[in-house]
Amino acid sequence: MIINHPLLGPRDAQEFTYLGDAGLINRPDWQAENAADLFYEYLHVRDNPAGEHRELWYHEHGDRSWLVVTRSTTTHEITKVEMARDIARGLEQDQ
């Protein structure tokens, strides 16, 4: 599988480490009244989708950047690759 890195261009997936659902970028507020429940869901409850899914990938054997890769879990076709920092900054601005 080839991941088209936004800064470095096409790279073999073997350079990356898969780290799970991209929803992990959106951490719960540890000071929330129901923080224990929110963190339980954040850490242990996962979807297992068939089809398009946003995932976190770490460029371990490269520039050590974090990417959000949108791909189909059934065909492995990648439709979008974004820098995770840009996604996280967008979340900060929304709050």
Side-chain angles (χ1 to χ4, degrees):
M1 186 168 69
I2 301 296
I3 297 175
N4 192 13
H5 193 294
L7 302 176
L8 305 174
R11 315 302 294 179
D12 192 292
Q14 291 181 354
E15 293 183 15
F16 297 84
T17 301
Y18 169 78
L19 292 167
D21 190 317
L24 295 174
I25 291 174
N26 193 14
R27 271 179 79 110
D29 179 5
W30 65 275
Q31 294 178 323
E33 193 171 303
N34 61 341
D37 293 332
L38 294 174
F39 271 96
Y40 174 82
E41 289 183 22
Y42 175 79
L43 293 170
H44 302 290
V45 179
R46 298 281 184 264
D47 291 331
N48 188 13
E52 189 170 89
H53 187 243
R54 293 179 71 201
E55 305 167 334
L56 280 174
W57 288 74
Y58 178 64
H59 197 191
E60 185 172 12
H61 300 288
D63 68 345
R64 299 190 183 269
S65 60
W66 291 79
L67 303 177
V68 174
V69 175
T70 304
R71 76 176 179 95
S72 169
T73 59
T74 54
T75 66
H76 299 293
E77 178 188 4
I78 295 174
T79 56
K80 190 173 191 180
V81 180
E82 304 166 88
M83 300 297 294
R85 68 173 183 224
D86 296 339
I87 306 269
R89 286 182 181 149
L91 289 173
E92 290 172 3
Q93 292 173 1
D94 292 341
Q95 294 178 359

